[in-house]
Structure formats: structure tokens, C-alpha cells
Amino acid sequence: MTIHHHGSAERKSIDDYSDIPRGEACKQLVEQLNRNLYSLNANMQTTFKQMVHVETRIGHEISLLSSCLQENMSKCTMPYAPHEEQLVQLDTAKRNLKQLTRLLDARQIFDSEDGQSEKLKDRAIDDSLLPTLVAIGENLKIIKELGAKPKFDTEAYHKTKDRYLAWKGTEFAVKFDTAGGLDNIFEAFTTLNSVNDFYRLYQHHFDQSLNTLLTKHSGVEERKSLKEIGSLFVSKAAEHFRTHIGSLCKYCDESEAFTRLLDAWKNFVKNGALEAIFEQSMDNYTDYDLLSDLKAIVSKAYEEFDAANNTASEGVADDEECIENIERIIVDGLLESAKKPLGEKLKSMVEPPPLNFRSVAEVSTSLENFAYLLREISHQLLEIYSDDDGRDYMISILKPIFTDYTMRLGRMEDHSAQKTKLEEYLERISLSGQLAGIVDEYKEQTDGKAGQELKQAKKWMNERVKDAIRASHRFVTDKMPNHGSEVYKESVDMPKSALPTPQDFVVSATQNLLHLLRFWEEALANESTKIALAAHVADMNKDSLETPDDDTIFAAILDKIAGHVVKKLLQSINDVWLTDGKSATLSKGLVKEFLCDAEYLRDALLDLRAGIHANLDTTIEKLREQLKTMG
């Protein structure tokens, strides 16, 4: 039931009766006030009866207002004009009564027998439902504004509203690209206070339209290049973006339209459709032209569209997200989508080192190709991905490639080890030098962000040098006896006083050392070999801060080889002289032979500048002491 208030309390003062004698004026004003107060009181009584379901807060206000009215009525019977305070209270009473009347009017729609709320579940979903939904929504808003709780089924209203908007959404899909087709849809969504749902629908269909555009111009079936696919899509997508900016601006300002379409574009990029197209297109490539083609997309978009928009985009920063830079934004989205498939493709295109070591030339060629690959990838990726995270992306690709390649190097088998000559082992050191150069470039490319993968590379480089040193000392020691008893035997013909001549095997060993020096001198003429040996020697002498020169390198390598020769001689002597750590009983002549061989080798090593070997000097001193005890 709708409540209308009968009459209104007009706000007057004694001044409004200035043309009437003062006593008569007061009397008329009091009479008018009494009439208004009685009318308001009658309305308030009716309100009390109909507001039994209204919130406690509103009921409390009515109670206070009634008390106020009674008090004012008693005051107004006095023979003087009402105070200003009483007139203000009357105005407040009018406002409260108006609010209560609005509330009851709103309630009546749902509480009356012909109300619409209970019938919403059975209503057909069409445009005839819109006025009812609007009316219910408006009255629901009034009820909530006044702090009351509705008695009717609000859930039915909201569900029906959602069903209606969903139905309009299907109409949205049909009319999306029709000029003016969305006007009545926008009006419906706006009327139902769901304009954000309208924008979300627009964004969704714009996203879908980009998928259609991509499928139409992907060119994957025609095996088009990345350059062709990317450049065409950038052009078409930019045109598509600008067209829909114009369409959406009909329903919001340009700034909001751009922001919403930009969000839809970013969502489109995340959904992976572009990534899938890139992956399919990259399957057509067998070389690194794919990097050149990807770079061409960037160059063309930036150059052509920068020139076209030079005037329009004056004062616009290159990285600013605005309609003038839409081509750049689209290219950035393309590049982001290309990251994963590009990384996988580049890894798959790396030619691994040979499984078996067959020749230095084969491994050297593999290392050359690998160095070129790293150089090309890092250079071109930094040109393509020129933003802040471009270097991080480049490193994320280089690291696994470098790690996998060096790991395969370490697993490379060598079935020809038994037949390999010394010269070939020395030649292999140059491979370490090649890899050392690659490592230096890799460190520079990764800005010091390289890690465990360098340990694999260093291990492989050191193994090549160690193999050459091992082959070199075997070149000498393999011709020396394994057991001293083979050459050091007691003989009655052995001289008792004068020192004997050195054994043949010791003389041969020193001659072979001299011959060995020539091999190493030739090896050091190779720059890559020198680099590898310098790194190896520097690693041996970690305390030294100086870079080793040729003489230092040569002396360090020769000292290492000579150490093995000394060890082999001492093993032969000790094999006869010591048993379980104790000196055996030997003839003076045999002890002299030990001393002769040891001193000969020491002098030869000094002549060759092969360094001083403390274990050899110690053995010589012990032999001399032994001779003294023997008289």
C-alpha cells in the first residue's frame, strides 16, 4: 500500500505576518502550526502501523519523532510564536516521513498481491523483462539505502538478472562487428548497473577476434617465413586495434577504451595462440636465419610505423603504452610469445660434439661452429630483445646450450688412446685453447652470471693438458725398468772403489727428455696451445698474480715431466735398497752405482733447466752417507 502525506508543514515565522497586528499574527501562526502538526501526527500513526517489519533503527527514529511532535504541539498552544528550533524539528520530521514513504512505496511492489518478484522465476527471458528488472532494482536500492532488509526473494531477482544479461551476451557475439549493433545491449547493461560486464564482454570478444585474425594471416600452411607472418600480423592487428578503439569509444572515453583493449591484448598474448604459431613456423627453419627474420619483424615495425606516426606521436616516449605506439606494443607481444619456442628451437639446432674422438680437426671444427653459434645468438638476441630483460633472456638460452655442449665434450670417448702418438696428444692441447677462448666470450656475454657450467669446461681443458703431460713422461719412463732388480744386480766384476758409469737406461732417459723438449717447443708455437698451457700453469700457481710467459710455461711443464722421471728412477733404486723401510745389505759397488745414476740424472735435469727435485737430492745424500759407513 502506498502512503501519501496529507498536507505539508510550511516553514513560516512571525515576520511573514507583518501586515497583521502582532497579537493576531501570533494567533494565525499558531493555528497554522497546529494544523500541520496534527496532519503529521496522523501520518506518523499510520506509518507505525505499516512499518512493523522495518529495521529497528528506523522504528526508533519514528518513536523519537513522535515524542518531539507531542512536545511541539503542547508548546504551540501557548500564546506566543514558535521558536526557530521548533521549526527545524518540523522540517526534520518532514524529511524522515518522506524517506519512510519512499521505503513503503518500494516495499509495496514486492509485498502486494500483484508484485513481480515471485513471478520472476517463470518469466521468459527477453527484452520485455528489462522494465521489471529496472523497477525492482531501483526499489531494492531504496530499501538498502534506508537501512532496511527486504522481505522478498532477492536471490530470484539476481538470478533472473544474470540470466537476462547472459542472454544479451549471446546477442553481443552476433552483433559485435555490426555498426551500432551494441547500442541497445549497452543501454540494457547500463540500466541494470552492469556496465563493467559490458566492457568485459567487449574485451572477451576482442580477444576472440584477435584469434580469428591470427588464424587468417598466420600463413603456417603456406610455410611462410617468420618475417612474413610477423610483419603482416603486426599491420593487421594494429589496424584492428585502432578500429575497435573507435567502436568502444562510443561507450566510454578514449583512455578507458585503450586501457581495456590493451588488457585484452595482453590476455591474448598470455593465452598462447601466438606462441603456437611461432612454434609451427620455426619448425620450417634449419639454420639461424630465424633470428634474422625475427629481427626483421622488429626493424620493419619500428622503422615504418615510426615514420608514419612521426607527427602524431611527437612527444610520446617509445615505451609509453598509448595508441600512437600500438605497433610497438604488438611487436613486444610477438617477441614475448616467441621466447619459449625460440629458446627450444635454438637448443635443438646446436650441433653437439662428436661422440667419439676421431681427429683433432673434427673436434676443432665442432668448437668453431659452437663459438659462432654463441656469438650469433647473443648478438642477435640483444638486438631483438633490447628491453631491460633482454640480456637475462639471452643468458637463459646460452646457459643450457653451453652446459649441454661441455657436458657432451666430457663424455666424448677416445678409443684410439693406445695408438695415439705423443705429437697428437700435444696437438690436442690446442682444442683446450679453443674452448678457453669460447669460455672467455661466454663470461663476457653472461656478465659474470655463469656458474657451475664453467667447471665442466675447465675440467675438459685441463684433461687435454694432463693427457699430453702423461704421454710425455711415458715417452721417457716407459723405457725405464719397472723393477730395480732388473738392472741393479750384485756382480763380482763390479768395481769396488771408483764410481761406475751411469746405467744405459738413465742415459737414454736424459736423451729422451732432450728430444721431448723439441716436441713441446713446436707445440708452444700454436697460439691456442699456448693459451691452454698458460691457463693450466696459472691454475697450478694460484698464488702468483702474474700471467705466465713462454719461459715460465715451458719450465713448469718440463718440471712436471721430469718429476715423473725422477720418481721412476728412485722407485728402481728403492726396489733393491729398501725392504719394508729398512736398508738392505748391499755391496759398496752397487751403492756406488745407485749414487752414480742419481747424480747423473740430477746434473742432466739442471742442464735442461728442469728444476730441482728435493726427493732426488735427499736420496743422493742418503747414498753418500751409506758409502761413508761402508768405509
Side-chain angles (χ1 to χ4, degrees), residues 458 462 465 530-549 552-553 556-557:
K458 184 178 180 180
N462 281 331
V465 179
K530 189 184 295 184
I531 291 172
L533 291 174
H536 185 78
V537 171
D539 195 50
M540 289 167 52
N541 304 323
K542 293 181 179 179
D543 294 337
S544 177
L545 299 177
E546 297 181 0
T547 302
D549 55 18
T552 305
I553 294 171
I557 298 298

Side-chain angles (χ1 to χ4, degrees), residues 204-427:
H204 170 73
H205 288 289
F206 180 70
D207 187 324
Q208 295 302 307
S209 68
L210 287 171
N211 270 302
T212 304
L213 190 70
L214 177 63
T215 304
K216 183 178 179 181
H217 298 290
S218 66
V220 174
E221 294 77 6
E222 296 84 3
R223 299 177 69 85
K224 289 184 178 179
S225 68
L226 283 175
K227 179 169 58 177
E228 293 173 304
I229 295 173
S231 297
L232 182 60
F233 181 75
V234 170
S235 174
K236 295 296 182 182
E239 180 183 347
H240 190 65
F241 204 108
R242 289 192 170 94
T243 298
H244 279 279
I245 281 284
S247 299
L248 190 53
C249 278
K250 188 174 183 180
Y251 311 112
C252 59
D253 61 44
E254 183 175 315
S255 176
E256 183 173 3
F258 173 77
T259 299
R260 291 188 177 278
L261 293 189
L262 181 62
D263 288 343
W265 163 255
K266 290 178 179 179
N267 186 64
F268 169 71
V269 172
K270 288 180 182 178
N271 286 341
L274 278 170
E275 186 177 296
I277 292 296
F278 274 116
E279 187 174 354
Q280 294 178 57
S281 179
M282 288 177 187
D283 284 342
N284 301 329
Y285 288 84
T286 57
D287 54 31
Y288 301 109
D289 285 346
L290 69 92
L291 288 172
S292 301
D293 284 356
L294 196 59
K295 180 182 174 184
I297 298 174
V298 180
S299 300
K300 182 178 180 182
Y302 281 24
E303 289 172 7
E304 290 187 5
F305 293 109
D306 278 354
N309 296 325
N310 189 41
T311 303
S313 61
E314 185 176 351
V316 176
D318 288 347
D319 59 349
E320 185 178 344
E321 290 186 335
C322 57
I323 191 62
E324 289 82 3
N325 276 341
I326 191 60
E327 284 79 17
R328 289 179 179 271
I329 293 171
I330 293 172
V331 169
D332 289 343
L334 289 179
L335 295 182
E336 186 64 30
S337 299
K339 281 183 176 180
K340 184 179 178 181
L342 178 60
E344 294 299 324
K345 183 64 177 180
L346 290 173
K347 292 173 194 175
S348 69
M349 290 171 61
V350 177
E351 181 185 350
L355 293 174
N356 300 308
F357 194 105
R358 287 183 287 268
S359 69
V360 171
E362 183 182 32
V363 179
S364 178
T365 300
S366 178
L367 287 170
E368 286 177 7
N369 293 337
F370 182 61
Y372 172 78
L373 174 147
L374 294 182
R375 202 174 299 122
E376 193 70 12
I377 287 178
S378 62
H379 173 71
Q380 295 217 42
L381 285 182
L382 286 178
E383 287 196 335
I384 295 169
Y385 293 93
S386 56
D387 54 355
D388 294 337
D389 65 344
R391 181 167 292 278
D392 289 337
Y393 172 65
M394 179 268 292
I395 294 172
S396 73
I397 290 183
L398 287 192
K399 267 196 169 188
I401 290 176
F402 187 90
T403 301
D404 181 69
Y405 187 89
T406 52
M407 182 179 65
R408 290 172 182 264
L409 271 180
R411 293 175 179 174
M412 185 168 52
E413 297 182 0
D414 184 5
H415 299 298
S416 63
Q418 300 299 323
K419 302 177 182 179
T420 306
K421 296 179 181 180
L422 172 62
E423 298 94 313
E424 293 174 349
Y425 276 114
L426 292 172
E427 189 180 1

Side-chain angles (χ1 to χ4, degrees), residues 49-289:
K49 294 178 182 179
Q50 297 189 11
M51 287 301 295
V52 291
H53 298 291
V54 179
E55 289 291 300
T56 303
R57 180 176 65 80
I58 298 178
H60 181 63
E61 289 179 358
I62 296 172
S63 177
L64 292 177
L65 182 57
S66 178
S67 299
C68 178
L69 289 172
Q70 296 295 337
E71 182 181 355
N72 285 334
M73 288 174 62
S74 63
K75 288 182 179 179
C76 289
T77 58
M78 299 179 183
Y80 54 81
H83 296 288
E84 182 70 18
E85 178 185 351
Q86 295 166 344
L87 294 175
V88 171
Q89 289 174 334
L90 289 174
D91 283 342
T92 302
K94 284 177 59 180
R95 287 195 298 272
N96 286 341
L97 185 60
K98 183 178 180 181
Q99 282 188 325
L100 293 171
T101 303
R102 289 178 63 214
L103 176 60
L104 292 174
D105 284 342
R107 276 270 175 85
Q108 185 184 19
I109 293 178
F110 303 100
D111 295 341
S112 61
E113 294 181 359
D114 60 344
Q116 298 292 330
S117 61
E118 295 300 325
K119 299 179 181 180
L120 285 177
K121 299 176 184 178
D122 303 324
R123 287 284 296 273
I125 302 300
D126 54 34
D127 281 328
S128 66
L129 187 61
L130 181 60
T132 301
L133 291 175
V134 171
I136 294 175
E138 287 298 320
N139 285 283
L140 179 61
K141 182 179 178 183
I142 293 171
I143 291 172
K144 289 186 176 180
E145 282 179 355
L146 297 177
K149 289 183 179 179
K151 297 187 301 178
F152 54 86
D153 185 5
T154 57
E155 184 178 353
Y157 163 73
H158 289 298
K159 285 184 177 180
T160 306
K161 176 183 172 182
D162 291 342
R163 286 168 55 210
Y164 175 77
L165 292 177
W167 175 72
K168 296 300 285 186
T170 60
E171 185 182 347
F172 197 111
V174 176
K175 297 182 177 180
F176 179 64
D177 285 319
T178 305
L182 302 180
D183 291 354
N184 70 321
I185 300 175
F186 177 75
E187 182 180 354
F189 276 76
T190 304
T191 305
L192 293 176
N193 296 316
S194 299
V195 69
N196 283 330
D197 292 328
F198 174 86
Y199 294 138
R200 278 192 287 270
L201 270 175
Y202 201 105
Q203 287 174 291
H204 170 73
H205 288 289
F206 180 70
D207 187 324
Q208 295 302 307
S209 68
L210 287 171
N211 270 302
T212 304
L213 190 70
L214 177 63
T215 304
K216 183 178 179 181
H217 298 290
S218 66
V220 174
E221 294 77 6
E222 296 84 3
R223 299 177 69 85
K224 289 184 178 179
S225 68
L226 283 175
K227 179 169 58 177
E228 293 173 304
I229 295 173
S231 297
L232 182 60
F233 181 75
V234 170
S235 174
K236 295 296 182 182
E239 180 183 347
H240 190 65
F241 204 108
R242 289 192 170 94
T243 298
H244 279 279
I245 281 284
S247 299
L248 190 53
C249 278
K250 188 174 183 180
Y251 311 112
C252 59
D253 61 44
E254 183 175 315
S255 176
E256 183 173 3
F258 173 77
T259 299
R260 291 188 177 278
L261 293 189
L262 181 62
D263 288 343
W265 163 255
K266 290 178 179 179
N267 186 64
F268 169 71
V269 172
K270 288 180 182 178
N271 286 341
L274 278 170
E275 186 177 296
I277 292 296
F278 274 116
E279 187 174 354
Q280 294 178 57
S281 179
M282 288 177 187
D283 284 342
N284 301 329
Y285 288 84
T286 57
D287 54 31
Y288 301 109
D289 285 346

